[in-house]
Amino acid sequence: MAEPCIFCRIVRGEIPAQLLVNTTDCVAFRDLSPQAPVHILIIPKKHVASLDDVTDLEIAGKMTMLAVALARQEGIAASGYRTVINTGADGGQSVFHLHLHLLGGRAMTWPPG
Ligand code: AMP
């Protein structure tokens, strides 16, 4: 049966994505529907459905530090940026493979919708 997880398929190179980083544990690629001038998704290579399912305590740290490095690389570290992990239905999660959004290049508003 075909693997239904779209982000697992990106990890395996089965569907195209604008890959920016490929480490031992994580990949980062541009969001298909960007909500800011810079909108990057950072995901673990290993399938984890959501933040609520994380058992590898190191993975969240690795994803976060990759976001910091990418913010510098994208030139948004000085102006500021937002990192978001939507979790579950009320969190607004639509793809059930853990991902961290890195958003920047414009001023963000608060509170989020
Ligand atoms: P979330 O709503 O937090 O689960 O975010 C899922 C994100 O994945 C959305 O911002 C989508 O635009 C993005 N997305 C879905 N499919 C793809 C894809 N094939 N390539 C890149 N980004 C995608």
Side-chain angles (χ1 to χ4, degrees):
M1 199 172 83
E3 168 61 62
C5 175
I6 195 156
F7 286 177
C8 283
R9 296 191 68 195
I10 288 175
V11 169
R12 290 199 299 264
E14 292 173 2
I15 58 171
Q18 287 187 61
L19 278 185
L20 298 168
V21 178
N22 186 352
T23 72
T24 310
D25 308 291
C26 299
V27 296
F29 52 91
R30 296 202 190 277
D31 197 292
L32 203 56
S33 177
Q35 302 302 310
V38 174
H39 188 173
I40 294 168
L41 299 176
I42 298 151
I43 71 169
K45 285 184 172 174
K46 187 176 171 210
H47 184 86
V48 179
S50 80
L51 189 62
D52 199 52
D53 298 290
V54 170
T55 52
D56 173 3
L57 298 183
E58 284 185 19
I59 200 65
K62 286 179 177 172
M63 291 166 66
T64 303
M65 293 320 294
L66 200 46
V68 171
L70 280 163
R72 291 181 185 144
Q73 188 177 301
E74 294 285 315
I76 57 170
S79 53
Y81 53 89
R82 183 169 291 174
T83 53
V84 176
I85 300 177
N86 296 324
T87 305
D90 278 3
Q93 186 175 6
S94 62
V95 176
F96 285 82
H97 181 129
L98 175 63
H99 51 283
L100 185 153
H101 296 258
L102 169 64
L103 298 138
R106 67 167 172 83
M108 303 291 153
T109 58
W110 192 264

